[in-house]
C-alpha cells in the first residue's frame, strides 16, 4: 500500500490545504495529514483544535487520516510506513524553503520522496497567516476556509484570540 504524509501546521486549515489533500489522496492509497505539534509559530489554535477542524474539513475524503506528530518528519514517516511526502507550492517564495526541506529529509531517509503539487490558482493567495490576521481583526474568512469549519473557526479563533499558549 502506498502511504503518503501531508505535513503542516494547519493553523487553521484553509481551502488551499483541502485542495491539496483532495488531489494528494488520489495519488496514494492512504494519505495521513500530519499536524505539527512542535511548531514554533505561536499558534492560534491548539493541536487538538487543528486536528478536529481538519477531520471535519476532510470528512468527504475516504482515504484520509488526520493525526498529530512531533519530532522529525522522517521518524513519523518510518513509524507510519510512509514513503511519500506531499507538499503544496503556491509561489516561487515557497520553493527555496521546500527544496531545502525535501533535500534534508531525503538525506536523512533516502527511501522517501517528496511530491509537490502546485496550488490551484484560485487558492494561491490563501495562507493560514492571512486567515489569522483577518480573524484577529474580526473580518470575513468565508472565502478562505471550508464551509464545514467556518463556525468552529470563528468560535475557537475568537475565544483563543489573545492567548499566547496555543500549543
Ligand atoms: P507549514 O508547514 O509551513 O506550517 P502550512 O501548514 O501553512 O505550512 O501548510 C502546509 C503545506 O500546505 C505546505 O506545503 C504549504 O506550501 C501548503 N499550502 C498552504 N497553503 C496553500 C495553498 N493556498 N495552496 C496550496 N498549498 C498550500
Amino acid at each position: 500500500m502506498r502511504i503518503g504524509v501531508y505535513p503542516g501546521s494547519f493553523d487553521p486549515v484553509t481551502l488551499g490545504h483541502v485542495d491539496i489533500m483532495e488531489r494528494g489522496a488520489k495519488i496514494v492509497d492512504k494519505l495521513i495529514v500530519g499536524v505539527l505539534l512542535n511548531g514554533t509559530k505561536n499558534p492560534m489554535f491548539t493541536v487538538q483544535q487543528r486536528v478536529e477542524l481538519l477531520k471535519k474539513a476532510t470528512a468527504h475524503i475516504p482515504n484520509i487520516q488526520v493525526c498529530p506528530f512531533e519530532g522529525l518528519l522522517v521518524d513519523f514517516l518510518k513509524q507510519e510506513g510512509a514513503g511519500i511526502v506531499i507538499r503544496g507550492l503556491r509561489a516561487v517564495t515557497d520553493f527555496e524553503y521546500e527544496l531545502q526541506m525535501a533535500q534534508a529529509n531525503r538525506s536523512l531517509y533516502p527511501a522517501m520522496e517528496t511530491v509537490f503539487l502546485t496550488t490551484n490558482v484560485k487558492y494561491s493567495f490563501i495562507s493560514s497567516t492571512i486567515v489569522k490576521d483577518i480573524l484577529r481583526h474580526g473580518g470575513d474568512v468565508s472565502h478562505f476556509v471550508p464551509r464545514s469549519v467556518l463556525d468552529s473557526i470563528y468560535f475557537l479563533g475568537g475565544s483563543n484570540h489573545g492567548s499566547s499558549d496555543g500549543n
Side-chain angles (χ1 to χ4, degrees):
M1 181 154 83
R2 199 186 284 269
I3 302 176
V5 168
Y6 178 35
S9 307
F10 307 107
D11 182 44
V13 59
T14 68
L15 287 170
H17 294 139
V18 174
D19 180 62
I20 297 292
M21 290 174 207
E22 286 169 351
R23 291 159 56 203
K26 287 184 191 153
I27 58 178
V28 292
D29 299 307
K30 176 165 115 177
L31 183 64
I32 301 171
V33 178
V35 186
L36 254 175
L37 217 137
N38 54 344
T40 52
K41 291 183 195 160
N42 193 14
M44 176 178 270
F45 298 89
T46 67
V47 76
Q48 292 83 355
Q49 290 170 341
R50 286 180 268 149
V51 166
E52 285 314 307
L53 293 171
L54 279 159
K55 282 185 177 167
K56 268 191 210 167
T58 59
H60 61 293
I61 311 172
N63 58 333
I64 269 201
Q65 187 184 318
V66 182
C67 51
F69 80 99
E70 61 183 329
L72 288 177
L73 177 59
V74 291
D75 291 336
F76 183 60
L77 295 178
K78 290 175 191 167
Q79 176 195 311
E80 298 296 331
I84 296 173
V85 168
I86 306 259
R87 293 285 287 176
L89 281 180
R90 278 162 293 190
V92 217
T93 42
D94 280 342
F95 183 74
E96 204 170 320
Y97 172 72
E98 292 293 341
L99 182 65
Q100 253 181 3
M101 289 301 299
Q103 287 173 335
N105 285 332
R106 245 174 75 78
S107 75
L108 292 169
Y109 185 28
M112 59 86 68
E113 292 291 349
T114 302
V115 174
F116 294 107
L117 300 182
T118 53
T119 182
N120 184 324
V121 282
K122 58 182 179 178
Y123 303 135
S124 61
F125 62 95
I126 299 180
S127 71
S128 297
T129 305
I130 289 177
V131 169
K132 284 182 281 192
D133 282 345
I134 299 173
L135 284 172
R136 283 191 192 100
H137 295 98
D140 174 9
V141 294
S142 58
H143 296 292
F144 297 74
V145 303
R147 189 187 292 263
S148 56
V149 297
L150 188 60
D151 288 345
S152 307
I153 282 182
Y154 278 130
F155 177 73
L156 297 170
S159 53
N160 291 355
H161 176 47
S163 137
S164 57
D165 178 25
N167 236 338

